[in-house]
Amino acid sequence: MIDIREADPTSDALRPVVEAHFAHSETAGPAESNHTMDASALAGPGMRFWALYEGNKVLGCGALKALPDGTAEVKSVHILATARGRGLARVMMTHLADHARVEGTSALVLETGADHLSYYDAARRLYEALGYSYCGPIYGYEADPNSAFMRLDLKPAE
């Protein structure tokens, strides 16, 4: 059974998934375009972090960063390589959207690799399938040829 729990990204139990995400991002594009947060940043002010478990085994993670414009940035969605292909990234992304909607967030935004960085093809296809649309640079970013920015407007929870 899959379970998503709010968690501390600096904990020893979550170190492998956070480090795997950081390592994955470091190899995906140029260093100047890498906006991956380390565990201490993921535990910082305005951040909410969740771990995805199957039983007691951590399989992935995801986070939201509250932004001053009423949106939240999706950060550090990662599924361990051994658990990929099961739709778990979609499960995490849906969890983040549901949580943000309940909290009254107006939209989710994200930065990912641009279309010439094929490393991010699967991620962009998932975001598109979930209803995200491409947009200009989001809060805190500047235009970057290695970045694609996306937005999902959220309707209030009923």
Side-chain angles (χ1 to χ4, degrees), residues 1-3 5 13-14 51-60 80 82-83 86:
M1 181 170 142
I2 299 301
D3 182 32
R5 306 174 206 158
L14 296 176
L52 186 145
Y53 292 84
E54 185 169 49
N56 288 325
K57 185 176 181 181
V58 178
L59 300 180
L80 293 174
T82 57
R86 298 172 50 192

Side-chain angles (χ1 to χ4, degrees), residues 6-28:
E6 194 159 3
D8 176 0
T10 65
S11 73
D12 288 342
L14 296 176
R15 182 171 289 133
V17 72
V18 173
E19 288 178 355
H21 177 61
F22 201 79
H24 175 83
S25 297
E26 282 187 319
T27 62

Side-chain angles (χ1 to χ4, degrees), residues 74 77 89-97 110 126-127 130 132:
V74 174
V77 173
R90 178 182 293 271
V91 169
M92 178 56 79
M93 290 296 293
T94 300
H95 171 82
L96 296 176
L110 59 85
L126 172 61
Y127 305 145
L130 291 172
Y132 283 77

Side-chain angles (χ1 to χ4, degrees), residues 11-151:
S11 73
D12 288 342
L14 296 176
R15 182 171 289 133
V17 72
V18 173
E19 288 178 355
H21 177 61
F22 201 79
H24 175 83
S25 297
E26 282 187 319
T27 62
E32 64 272 12
S33 298
N34 185 346
H35 304 285
T36 307
M37 300 173 88
D38 65 13
S40 61
L42 288 168
M47 295 297 303
R48 302 282 299 270
F49 182 88
W50 290 269
L52 186 145
Y53 292 84
E54 185 169 49
N56 288 325
K57 185 176 181 181
V58 178
L59 300 180
C61 63
L64 291 176
K65 177 181 179 182
L67 299 176
D69 63 358
T71 66
E73 182 181 0
V74 174
K75 298 294 292 182
S76 300
V77 173
H78 186 84
I79 303 300
L80 293 174
T82 57
R84 291 190 187 143
R86 298 172 50 192
L88 298 177
R90 178 182 293 271
V91 169
M92 178 56 79
M93 290 296 293
T94 300
H95 171 82
L96 296 176
D98 290 346
H99 175 79
R101 192 174 285 108
V102 167
E103 293 290 312
T105 303
S106 63
L108 290 181
V109 295
L110 59 85
E111 179 274 339
T112 191
D115 61 7
H116 67 276
L117 298 172
S118 60
Y119 210 69
Y120 291 99
D121 288 349
R124 284 192 311 275
R125 280 193 306 271
L126 172 61
Y127 305 145
E128 291 166 359
L130 291 172
Y132 283 77
S133 58
Y134 290 93
C135 62
I138 60 176
Y139 182 89
Y141 291 82
E142 295 181 10
D144 179 342
N146 296 305
S147 292
F149 301 99
M150 301 182 85
R151 177 184 180 97

